[in-house]
Amino acid sequence: MSDFYQNVFEVVRQIPPGRVTSYGAIARYLGSAGSSRMVGWAMNLSHHQPLFVPAHRVVNRNGLLTGKIHFGSPEQMQELLENEGVKVEDDCVSDFTKLFWDPMTELEVE
DNA sequence: ACGTTGACCTATA
DNA sequence: GTATAGGCCAACG
């Protein structure tokens, strides 16, 4: 497993409950800005990971639950988000801007 | 090995 | 502000 995916899983795992982030933010935090697609692909691999990766806390820039389809059930992602206190309407996070968790701002630079 | 697709983002018109 | 184009890198057919 490349360090890139490992880092992605680590960052996603560090996302606090009730918070959400975007693929681009993670990609930029890893220094792979522009390669946000790789982050999404990493999420695809997150299902094989032994540890649980809160991929449901990761959404696109618009706060849209684009990856809900890749979950066990599209409803599961929204259920998980609502379970953590994240309000989701029309597959979109209502207070996305407020719940947005930027690793660069929160974790800043190590 | 080549071509297409993909849980995206940024830039230009 | 919305719409379209380009880019990025890896996996799949």
Side-chain angles (χ1 to χ4, degrees):
Chain A
M1 184 67 72
S2 305
D3 298 319
F4 178 76
Y5 297 112
Q6 199 65 48
N7 208 339
V8 173
F9 300 138
E10 194 171 340
V11 174
V12 174
R13 248 182 275 158
Q14 256 64 170
I15 300 175
R19 288 290 177 106
V20 288
T21 187
S22 59
Y23 306 91
I26 300 174
R28 234 179 353 178
Y29 177 70
L30 298 178
S32 299
S35 305
S36 23
R37 286 184 163 174
M38 307 296 84
V39 181
W41 204 255
M43 296 286 93
N44 212 356
L45 305 175
S46 65
H47 290 283
H48 328 159
Q49 293 308 112
L51 298 175
F52 173 72
V53 181
H56 58 272
R57 292 179 194 159
V58 186
V59 293
N60 65 340
R61 238 340 192 157
N62 290 314
L64 182 68
L65 281 58
T66 50
K68 65 174 186 177
I69 315 164
H70 290 270
F71 275 78
S73 298
E75 312 170 344
Q76 193 170 11
M77 186 171 184
Q78 184 160 344
E79 283 288 308
L80 289 166
L81 287 171
E82 291 183 330
N83 197 343
E84 296 191 348
V86 180
K87 293 191 284 188
V88 180
E89 288 186 24
D90 191 57
D91 301 332
C92 300
V93 180
S94 302
D95 299 311
F96 172 70
T97 33
K98 296 167 64 179
L99 300 175
F100 183 70
W101 184 84
D102 194 341
M104 267 217 188
T105 309
E106 303 298 323
L107 302 176
E108 303 224 0
V109 185
E110 301 229 8

